Amino acid sequence: MASMRDWLKGPDSKVGRVVVVHCKAGKGRSGTAACSYLISEEGWVVEDALLRFTTRRMRSGFGAGVSIPSQLRWVRYVDTWTKHRKLYLEGQVEVVEVYVWGLRDGVKVAVEGYIDEGRTIKNFHTFHHHERTILETDEIDSTRTPAPNHEGSVPLPDTKAQAERVQRQDSSSNMDAGADAAIFRPSHPIILPTNDINIDFERRNKAAYGWTMVTSIAHVWFNAFFEGRGPEQNGIADPEGRFEIAWESMDGIKGSARKGTKAFDRLAVIWRAVGDREKGGIKLPQIITEPKAGELVPETAAADWRTTENSNSAAMGKDLGLRTESPVSMGGSKASSLRSSRSSPLGKEEDHLVGVKTHGPDGEDFVELHAQGPPRGGERSDTVVPQPDLGLPKVASPEPTADIADPGGISDGGMASISEKNEAKDG
């Protein structure tokens, strides 16, 4: 945010500069960055920033620009950060337990996080059979009704004995056959180097001739500092906490809402901050503030997109369908959950650009339409039809002084032309 602010409005900025934000489709991650700038540097409210990005980036009828639950969660984290002095403490966090209600058969549960300054997603732990405790329906005390917390969810047990008596919010009549309540306790501490936590789910069924069928893929990212109310408490986040989410609110496959068949009903993650009392080279929390205008803005090196190390992380590269077997994860929790070695021959690559507007070098809207349907073979249509005015109402937030709100500044189209213009203006 600070580097974008300085480029557009800093002491050395020049008139006409823009910020080009891009990702694979120029939608989810690009929208998260663009909206975060409008919120943190231009004073926009969350809803107006999201609406502005959608109207400028998406074609009518194709939904919101930023739609992935975890990305929306991070936009609201930025809003909280902005409202509380833009203070952040980066520290190590331990995933203590994972509770899953309505767990179906064949589900693998893994814990992931960032390393290498956020350039790499690492699998820190995949739960195995011996780390799982299944709570049968007749073992749960259905007469006990704990008082809900401030979010309206049921408090989680502190001990294994209490866990065996926890009240399940979903009645047994609403549970699928074979669905269980389960507690996953790692055999060794799972300590992540940052506050960012990802819980990844994959459900598989065995097939013949060395194949397995992937029927569910879902994951969720959250940040322990923000979930622990760190910004609201002057940087002192709660030392421990829990994060709860329902299956319907999980992230899906390749930046979509598609998750396949239902793998569970509800999830809760118990986490705690790792303090300096711990041993084994634990680092103290790092205080991070936004650099002021004119100050040096630290930047990380770009990720090496050519590597394949992340291909199996956080549903990146994953899809439903057949996979070849591998002995890597035979001990995975509640399934013969096997890592994919190549994509399914039956799967079809999802078109991430459906519904996303394209723009010309000067930011004008345009869209290619084929009068006789999509081109066949190597044919190409050059028919260009202007994008109609949607007639949407103006948002209530102030108009930003930065050109990032201009469609040319948040799209992939015209990137080369914009760069050439900036080089010419900068001499």
Side-chain angles (χ1 to χ4, degrees):
M1 299 299 103
S3 61
M4 294 166 68
R5 175 204 65 201
D6 289 351
W7 173 256
L8 295 171
K9 302 189 296 185
D12 300 327
S13 64
K14 295 179 173 62
V15 177
R17 280 184 173 178
V18 298
V19 173
V20 178
V21 185
H22 66 91
C23 57
K24 183 172 183 179
K27 178 181 178 292
R29 286 168 289 179
S30 294
T32 301
C35 291
S36 296
Y37 179 86
L38 294 177
I39 293 167
S40 63
E41 305 300 332
E42 298 292 341
W44 286 50
V45 297
V46 171
E47 291 75 15
D48 291 346
L50 292 170
L51 177 60
R52 170 55 65 91
F53 182 79
T54 295
T55 57
R56 293 297 183 96
R57 192 68 178 113
M58 302 300 295
R59 297 171 184 167
S60 178
F62 282 90
V66 182
S67 58
I68 304 304
S70 289
Q71 292 174 345
L72 290 169
R73 187 175 302 112
W74 248 258
V75 170
R76 298 193 181 278
Y77 285 164
V78 170
D79 182 56
T80 302
W81 172 72
T82 303
K83 293 176 178 177
H84 297 88
R85 302 190 302 125
K86 296 184 178 181
L87 177 66
Y88 180 76
L89 269 67
E90 185 70 275
Q92 295 176 305
V93 62
E94 178 183 357
V95 176
V96 181
E97 294 173 337
V98 176
Y99 288 70
V100 184
W101 287 267
L103 182 68
R104 274 60 168 182
D105 291 333
V107 179
K108 180 178 68 176
V109 184
V111 178
E112 298 179 334
Y114 286 119
I115 60 172
D116 194 22
E117 296 184 313
R119 292 190 291 267
T120 304
I121 299 173
K122 177 182 176 180
N123 184 321
F124 282 88
H125 187 76
T126 299
F127 287 100
H128 290 256
H129 293 289
H130 66 276
E131 298 172 307
R132 184 192 70 244
T133 300
I134 296 295
L135 307 178
E136 300 297 339
T137 303
D138 57 2
E139 293 180 2
I140 299 177
D141 182 4
S142 60
T143 63
R144 180 174 177 266
T145 306
N149 66 359
H150 66 281
E151 296 178 347
S153 55
V154 175
L156 298 175
D158 297 324
T159 67
K160 182 176 180 180
Q162 290 175 328
E164 294 174 352
R165 299 190 301 272
V166 68
Q167 165 69 22
R168 185 182 310 192
Q169 286 187 339
D170 303 291
S171 65
S172 58
S173 61
N174 294 328
M175 302 284 282
D176 290 351
D180 297 308
I183 305 174
F184 294 90
R185 292 189 178 91
S187 55
H188 61 275
I190 306 175
I191 298 179
L192 279 63
T194 72
N195 292 314
D196 298 318
I197 302 171
N198 180 56
I199 307 298
D200 187 69
F201 288 83
E202 185 175 290
R203 186 183 186 189
R204 296 192 176 208
N205 296 321
K206 283 188 176 181
Y209 304 106
W211 292 85
T212 59
M213 177 66 73
V214 178
T215 59
S216 304
I217 294 175
H219 67 279
V220 59
W221 284 97
F222 67 95
N223 183 283
F225 177 76
F226 287 100
E227 296 297 330
R229 298 177 56 81
E232 295 93 331
Q233 299 174 156
N234 198 29
I236 308 300
D238 296 337
E240 58 187 6
R242 71 175 180 272
F243 175 84
E244 298 186 46
I245 190 172
W247 167 260
E248 291 74 16
S249 300
M250 298 282 287
D251 298 354
I253 302 168
K254 298 180 181 179
S256 71
R258 186 166 60 97
K259 297 184 281 288
T261 60
K262 196 171 187 178
F264 63 89
D265 294 330
R266 185 165 53 92
L267 162 72
V269 183
I270 311 301
W271 57 267
R272 66 184 174 198
V274 179
D276 54 6
R277 65 182 185 281
E278 304 287 347
K279 298 180 180 180
I282 303 302
K283 297 180 181 179
L284 293 174
Q286 178 185 4
I287 300 176
I288 300 175
T289 58
E290 183 183 39
K292 297 179 180 179
E295 294 182 351
L296 178 65
V297 179
E299 295 186 9
T300 60
D304 185 0
W305 56 268
R306 294 167 296 184
T307 63
T308 58
E309 184 176 355
N310 287 350
S311 60
N312 289 310
S313 296
M316 295 178 63
K318 293 182 179 180
D319 208 342
L320 304 177
L322 289 174
R323 299 289 185 273
T324 54
E325 288 188 350
S326 166
V328 173
S329 56
M330 286 295 292
S333 61
K334 202 169 168 51
S336 299
S337 302
L338 309 173
R339 174 167 292 188
S340 169
S341 62
R342 64 186 179 95
S343 297
S344 167
L346 304 179
K348 183 179 180 181
E349 182 67 19
E350 184 178 357
D351 185 4
H352 295 273
L353 297 178
V354 172
V356 179
K357 289 182 183 179
T358 52
H359 304 284
D362 295 320
E364 69 275 14
D365 293 350
F366 71 92
V367 57
E368 293 186 2
L369 298 178
H370 306 285
Q372 302 299 328
R376 295 175 295 178
E379 298 178 6
R380 177 178 177 181
S381 172
D382 295 324
T383 304
V384 177
V385 180
Q387 180 74 10
D389 185 3
L390 301 179
L392 294 173
K394 296 184 180 297
V395 297
S397 290
E399 290 290 339
T401 57
D403 289 331
I404 191 170
D406 184 84
I410 56 175
S411 69
D412 294 331
M415 184 182 301
S417 299
I418 293 173
S419 300
E420 293 171 359
K421 289 181 181 179
N422 289 336
E423 290 175 2
K425 290 179 179 179
D426 293 342

